[in-house]
mmCIF file of all heavy atoms in Angstrom:
data_model
loop_
_atom_site.group_PDB
_atom_site.id
_atom_site.type_symbol
_atom_site.label_atom_id
_atom_site.label_comp_id
_atom_site.label_asym_id
_atom_site.label_seq_id
_atom_site.Cartn_x
_atom_site.Cartn_y
_atom_site.Cartn_z
ATOM 1 N N ILE A 1 0.912 -1.143 -0.010
ATOM 2 C CA ILE A 1 -0.074 0.030 0.005
ATOM 3 C C ILE A 1 0.895 1.267 -0.005
ATOM 4 O O ILE A 1 1.807 1.515 0.957
ATOM 5 C CB ILE A 1 -0.951 0.024 1.241
ATOM 6 C CG1 ILE A 1 -1.811 -1.180 1.224
ATOM 7 C CG2 ILE A 1 -1.765 1.367 1.238
ATOM 8 C CD1 ILE A 1 -2.843 -1.306 2.441
ATOM 9 N N ALA A 2 0.726 2.050 -0.983
ATOM 10 C CA ALA A 2 1.368 3.317 -1.104
ATOM 11 C C ALA A 2 0.673 4.509 -0.625
ATOM 12 O O ALA A 2 -0.527 4.392 -0.434
ATOM 13 C CB ALA A 2 1.862 3.533 -2.487
ATOM 14 N N ALA A 3 1.359 5.515 -0.116
ATOM 15 C CA ALA A 3 0.602 6.711 0.366
ATOM 16 C C ALA A 3 1.207 7.960 -0.173
ATOM 17 O O ALA A 3 2.458 8.097 -0.412
ATOM 18 C CB ALA A 3 0.708 6.524 1.862
ATOM 19 N N GLU A 4 0.396 9.040 -0.101
ATOM 20 C CA GLU A 4 0.910 10.456 -0.270
ATOM 21 C C GLU A 4 0.139 11.316 0.628
ATOM 22 O O GLU A 4 -0.900 10.981 1.195
ATOM 23 C CB GLU A 4 0.775 10.829 -1.799
ATOM 24 C CG GLU A 4 2.054 10.842 -2.464
ATOM 25 C CD GLU A 4 3.210 11.629 -1.885
ATOM 26 O OE1 GLU A 4 3.018 12.415 -0.927
ATOM 27 O OE2 GLU A 4 4.354 11.451 -2.424
ATOM 28 N N ALA A 5 0.588 12.579 0.819
ATOM 29 C CA ALA A 5 -0.003 13.485 1.878
ATOM 30 C C ALA A 5 -0.115 14.866 1.054
ATOM 31 O O ALA A 5 0.573 15.124 0.114
ATOM 32 C CB ALA A 5 0.683 13.524 3.105
ATOM 33 N N GLY A 6 -0.936 15.777 1.637
ATOM 34 C CA GLY A 6 -1.018 17.149 1.202
ATOM 35 C C GLY A 6 -1.530 17.318 -0.161
ATOM 36 O O GLY A 6 -2.275 16.447 -0.612
ATOM 37 N N PRO A 7 -0.962 18.224 -0.941
ATOM 38 C CA PRO A 7 -1.441 18.467 -2.357
ATOM 39 C C PRO A 7 -1.052 17.258 -3.261
ATOM 40 O O PRO A 7 -1.789 17.054 -4.263
ATOM 41 C CB PRO A 7 -0.756 19.810 -2.769
ATOM 42 C CG PRO A 7 0.500 19.811 -1.874
ATOM 43 C CD PRO A 7 0.081 19.269 -0.472
ATOM 44 N N TRP A 8 -0.086 16.541 -2.794
ATOM 45 C CA TRP A 8 0.291 15.263 -3.630
ATOM 46 C C TRP A 8 -0.815 14.260 -3.485
ATOM 47 O O TRP A 8 -1.217 13.518 -4.358
ATOM 48 C CB TRP A 8 1.605 14.799 -3.205
ATOM 49 C CG TRP A 8 2.776 15.757 -3.250
ATOM 50 C CD1 TRP A 8 3.061 16.689 -2.390
ATOM 51 C CD2 TRP A 8 3.548 16.030 -4.458
ATOM 52 N NE1 TRP A 8 4.108 17.457 -2.855
ATOM 53 C CE2 TRP A 8 4.449 17.070 -4.004
ATOM 54 C CE3 TRP A 8 3.583 15.474 -5.681
ATOM 55 C CZ2 TRP A 8 5.357 17.557 -5.042
ATOM 56 C CZ3 TRP A 8 4.549 16.013 -6.478
ATOM 57 C CH2 TRP A 8 5.376 16.971 -6.261
ATOM 58 N N ALA A 9 -1.308 14.227 -2.250
ATOM 59 C CA ALA A 9 -2.519 13.245 -2.065
ATOM 60 C C ALA A 9 -3.757 13.689 -2.852
ATOM 61 O O ALA A 9 -4.482 12.891 -3.486
ATOM 62 C CB ALA A 9 -2.933 13.168 -0.680
ATOM 63 N N VAL A 10 -4.020 14.969 -2.912
ATOM 64 C CA VAL A 10 -5.198 15.451 -3.671
ATOM 65 C C VAL A 10 -4.931 15.292 -5.185
ATOM 66 O O VAL A 10 -5.775 14.638 -5.821
ATOM 67 C CB VAL A 10 -5.222 16.993 -3.460
ATOM 68 C CG1 VAL A 10 -6.345 17.550 -4.403
ATOM 69 C CG2 VAL A 10 -5.575 17.212 -1.958
ATOM 70 N N ALA A 11 -3.670 15.399 -5.667
ATOM 71 C CA ALA A 11 -3.384 15.214 -7.140
ATOM 72 C C ALA A 11 -3.655 13.765 -7.347
ATOM 73 O O ALA A 11 -4.187 13.393 -8.468
ATOM 74 C CB ALA A 11 -2.086 15.642 -7.357
ATOM 75 N N GLU A 12 -3.161 12.816 -6.545
ATOM 76 C CA GLU A 12 -3.356 11.407 -6.809
ATOM 77 C C GLU A 12 -4.721 10.940 -6.852
ATOM 78 O O GLU A 12 -5.202 10.343 -7.642
ATOM 79 C CB GLU A 12 -2.568 10.619 -5.671
ATOM 80 C CG GLU A 12 -2.368 9.161 -5.945
ATOM 81 C CD GLU A 12 -1.472 8.817 -7.067
ATOM 82 O OE1 GLU A 12 -0.463 9.571 -7.151
ATOM 83 O OE2 GLU A 12 -1.756 7.857 -7.789
ATOM 84 N N TYR A 13 -5.558 11.498 -5.857
ATOM 85 C CA TYR A 13 -6.926 11.097 -5.799
ATOM 86 C C TYR A 13 -7.687 11.664 -6.970
ATOM 87 O O TYR A 13 -8.522 10.942 -7.670
ATOM 88 C CB TYR A 13 -7.587 11.721 -4.488
ATOM 89 C CG TYR A 13 -9.148 11.501 -4.498
ATOM 90 C CD1 TYR A 13 -9.625 10.335 -4.187
ATOM 91 C CD2 TYR A 13 -9.875 12.585 -4.709
ATOM 92 C CE1 TYR A 13 -10.939 10.109 -4.134
ATOM 93 C CE2 TYR A 13 -11.344 12.426 -4.709
ATOM 94 C CZ TYR A 13 -11.727 11.147 -4.473
ATOM 95 O OH TYR A 13 -13.259 11.011 -4.435
ATOM 96 N N VAL A 14 -7.493 12.972 -7.370
ATOM 97 C CA VAL A 14 -8.191 13.527 -8.484
ATOM 98 C C VAL A 14 -7.969 12.737 -9.869
ATOM 99 O O VAL A 14 -8.781 12.501 -10.744
ATOM 100 C CB VAL A 14 -7.846 14.987 -8.698
ATOM 101 C CG1 VAL A 14 -8.363 15.560 -10.008
ATOM 102 C CG2 VAL A 14 -8.379 15.799 -7.602
ATOM 103 N N GLU A 15 -6.688 12.293 -10.006
ATOM 104 C CA GLU A 15 -6.309 11.474 -11.128
ATOM 105 C C GLU A 15 -6.812 10.023 -11.318
ATOM 106 O O GLU A 15 -7.286 9.508 -12.257
ATOM 107 C CB GLU A 15 -4.740 11.572 -11.381
ATOM 108 C CG GLU A 15 -4.266 10.950 -12.724
ATOM 109 C CD GLU A 15 -2.871 11.167 -12.983
ATOM 110 O OE1 GLU A 15 -2.200 11.851 -12.104
ATOM 111 O OE2 GLU A 15 -2.414 10.784 -14.087
ATOM 112 N N TYR A 16 -6.791 9.361 -10.048
ATOM 113 C CA TYR A 16 -7.167 8.142 -10.018
ATOM 114 C C TYR A 16 -8.183 7.758 -8.800
ATOM 115 O O TYR A 16 -7.953 6.968 -7.887
ATOM 116 C CB TYR A 16 -6.090 7.062 -9.842
ATOM 117 C CG TYR A 16 -5.038 7.255 -10.842
ATOM 118 C CD1 TYR A 16 -3.829 7.859 -10.546
ATOM 119 C CD2 TYR A 16 -5.134 6.833 -12.117
ATOM 120 C CE1 TYR A 16 -2.783 7.995 -11.549
ATOM 121 C CE2 TYR A 16 -4.195 6.959 -13.068
ATOM 122 C CZ TYR A 16 -2.987 7.564 -12.850
ATOM 123 O OH TYR A 16 -2.017 7.643 -13.802
ATOM 124 N N PRO A 17 -9.468 8.388 -8.817
ATOM 125 C CA PRO A 17 -10.310 8.268 -7.771
ATOM 126 C C PRO A 17 -10.827 6.827 -7.397
ATOM 127 O O PRO A 17 -10.832 6.444 -6.286
ATOM 128 C CB PRO A 17 -11.437 9.136 -8.130
ATOM 129 C CG PRO A 17 -11.282 9.330 -9.517
ATOM 130 C CD PRO A 17 -9.963 9.218 -9.933
ATOM 131 N N GLN A 18 -10.960 6.084 -8.538
ATOM 132 C CA GLN A 18 -11.539 4.798 -8.182
ATOM 133 C C GLN A 18 -10.603 3.811 -7.532
ATOM 134 O O GLN A 18 -11.016 2.879 -6.912
ATOM 135 C CB GLN A 18 -11.914 4.007 -9.611
ATOM 136 C CG GLN A 18 -13.303 4.626 -10.227
ATOM 137 C CD GLN A 18 -13.109 6.050 -10.856
ATOM 138 O OE1 GLN A 18 -11.978 6.431 -11.113
ATOM 139 N NE2 GLN A 18 -14.099 6.797 -11.097
ATOM 140 N N GLY A 19 -9.259 4.017 -7.619
ATOM 141 C CA GLY A 19 -8.334 3.164 -7.059
ATOM 142 C C GLY A 19 -7.758 3.650 -5.767
ATOM 143 O O GLY A 19 -6.795 2.985 -5.241
ATOM 144 N N CYS A 20 -8.282 4.713 -5.162
ATOM 145 C CA CYS A 20 -7.665 5.355 -4.027
ATOM 146 C C CYS A 20 -8.593 5.358 -2.825
ATOM 147 O O CYS A 20 -9.760 5.114 -2.897
ATOM 148 C CB CYS A 20 -7.338 6.808 -4.317
ATOM 149 S SG CYS A 20 -5.972 6.992 -5.489
ATOM 150 N N ARG A 21 -8.048 5.344 -1.682
ATOM 151 C CA ARG A 21 -8.766 5.745 -0.353
ATOM 152 C C ARG A 21 -8.211 7.095 0.106
ATOM 153 O O ARG A 21 -7.044 7.288 0.346
ATOM 154 C CB ARG A 21 -8.512 4.668 0.661
ATOM 155 C CG ARG A 21 -9.091 3.279 0.222
ATOM 156 C CD ARG A 21 -10.674 3.366 0.237
ATOM 157 N NE ARG A 21 -11.107 1.994 -0.131
ATOM 158 C CZ ARG A 21 -11.371 1.649 -1.377
ATOM 159 N NH1 ARG A 21 -11.207 2.438 -2.449
ATOM 160 N NH2 ARG A 21 -11.977 0.398 -1.633
ATOM 161 N N PHE A 22 -9.058 8.064 0.143
ATOM 162 C CA PHE A 22 -8.719 9.336 0.512
ATOM 163 C C PHE A 22 -9.199 9.822 1.847
ATOM 164 O O PHE A 22 -10.455 9.693 2.077
ATOM 165 C CB PHE A 22 -9.219 10.427 -0.669
ATOM 166 C CG PHE A 22 -8.696 11.761 -0.564
ATOM 167 C CD1 PHE A 22 -7.490 12.136 -1.233
ATOM 168 C CD2 PHE A 22 -9.323 12.753 0.286
ATOM 169 C CE1 PHE A 22 -6.927 13.452 -1.155
ATOM 170 C CE2 PHE A 22 -8.742 14.089 0.327
ATOM 171 C CZ PHE A 22 -7.656 14.319 -0.425
ATOM 172 N N LEU A 23 -8.375 10.349 2.654
ATOM 173 C CA LEU A 23 -8.799 10.718 3.983
ATOM 174 C C LEU A 23 -8.478 12.319 4.153
ATOM 175 O O LEU A 23 -7.248 12.621 3.874
ATOM 176 C CB LEU A 23 -8.058 10.028 5.074
ATOM 177 C CG LEU A 23 -8.431 8.541 5.221
ATOM 178 C CD1 LEU A 23 -7.587 7.905 6.328
ATOM 179 C CD2 LEU A 23 -9.839 8.291 5.451
ATOM 180 N N GLN A 24 -9.324 13.114 4.582
ATOM 181 C CA GLN A 24 -9.177 14.509 4.881
ATOM 182 C C GLN A 24 -9.691 14.811 6.315
ATOM 183 O O GLN A 24 -10.698 14.205 6.691
ATOM 184 C CB GLN A 24 -9.691 15.439 3.860
ATOM 185 C CG GLN A 24 -9.552 16.942 4.153
ATOM 186 C CD GLN A 24 -10.027 17.777 2.964
ATOM 187 O OE1 GLN A 24 -9.281 17.930 2.097
ATOM 188 N NE2 GLN A 24 -11.064 18.173 2.948
ATOM 189 N N SER A 25 -9.172 15.840 6.872
ATOM 190 C CA SER A 25 -9.710 16.326 8.183
ATOM 191 C C SER A 25 -9.451 15.191 9.153
ATOM 192 O O SER A 25 -10.361 15.103 10.142
ATOM 193 C CB SER A 25 -11.078 16.873 8.146
ATOM 194 O OG SER A 25 -11.062 17.889 7.158
ATOM 195 N N PHE A 26 -8.522 14.278 9.197
ATOM 196 C CA PHE A 26 -8.566 13.183 10.147
ATOM 197 C C PHE A 26 -8.192 13.737 11.515
ATOM 198 O O PHE A 26 -8.370 13.047 12.576
ATOM 199 C CB PHE A 26 -7.497 12.087 9.666
ATOM 200 C CG PHE A 26 -6.036 12.613 9.696
ATOM 201 C CD1 PHE A 26 -5.232 12.514 10.738
ATOM 202 C CD2 PHE A 26 -5.587 13.226 8.419
ATOM 203 C CE1 PHE A 26 -4.000 12.720 10.624
ATOM 204 C CE2 PHE A 26 -4.202 13.556 8.395
ATOM 205 C CZ PHE A 26 -3.426 13.427 9.415
ATOM 206 N N LYS A 27 -7.686 15.065 11.628
ATOM 207 C CA LYS A 27 -7.463 15.516 12.807
ATOM 208 C C LYS A 27 -8.712 15.688 13.800
ATOM 209 O O LYS A 27 -8.647 15.679 15.032
ATOM 210 C CB LYS A 27 -6.828 16.950 12.811
ATOM 211 C CG LYS A 27 -6.606 17.775 14.161
ATOM 212 C CD LYS A 27 -6.324 19.268 13.864
ATOM 213 C CE LYS A 27 -6.264 20.030 15.157
ATOM 214 N NZ LYS A 27 -5.961 21.430 14.853
ATOM 215 N N SER A 28 -9.796 15.714 12.970
ATOM 216 C CA SER A 28 -11.053 15.958 13.787
ATOM 217 C C SER A 28 -11.589 14.699 14.608
ATOM 218 O O SER A 28 -12.426 14.812 15.444
ATOM 219 C CB SER A 28 -12.187 16.297 12.737
ATOM 220 O OG SER A 28 -12.455 15.241 11.812
ATOM 221 N N VAL A 29 -10.828 13.576 14.521
ATOM 222 C CA VAL A 29 -11.269 12.349 15.257
ATOM 223 C C VAL A 29 -10.085 12.114 16.362
ATOM 224 O O VAL A 29 -10.246 11.189 16.982
ATOM 225 C CB VAL A 29 -11.376 11.150 14.370
ATOM 226 C CG1 VAL A 29 -12.545 11.423 13.286
ATOM 227 C CG2 VAL A 29 -10.082 10.773 13.647
ATOM 228 N N ALA A 30 -9.291 12.978 16.568
ATOM 229 C CA ALA A 30 -8.079 12.835 17.400
ATOM 230 C C ALA A 30 -8.685 12.633 18.904
ATOM 231 O O ALA A 30 -8.212 11.763 19.746
ATOM 232 C CB ALA A 30 -7.218 14.042 17.548
ATOM 233 N N ALA A 31 -9.768 13.275 19.244
ATOM 234 C CA ALA A 31 -10.292 13.178 20.600
ATOM 235 C C ALA A 31 -11.611 12.411 20.687
ATOM 236 O O ALA A 31 -12.339 12.367 21.666
ATOM 237 C CB ALA A 31 -10.649 14.638 21.170
#
């Protein structure tokens, strides 16, 4: 399983949405 973060994660997801798992705002579950 490969991973990217930040704008690189966005770019990867936008180009290949069907093959990705995208997570945003994961800080909101810290507590």
Side-chain angles (χ1 to χ4, degrees):
I1 299 176
E4 260 303 352
W8 302 90
V10 174
E12 189 71 35
Y13 172 76
V14 170
E15 187 168 1
Y16 303 108
Q18 284 79 16
C20 295
R21 294 293 181 268
F22 190 91
L23 298 178
Q24 181 172 272
S25 304
F26 66 94
K27 175 188 172 182
S28 63
V29 300

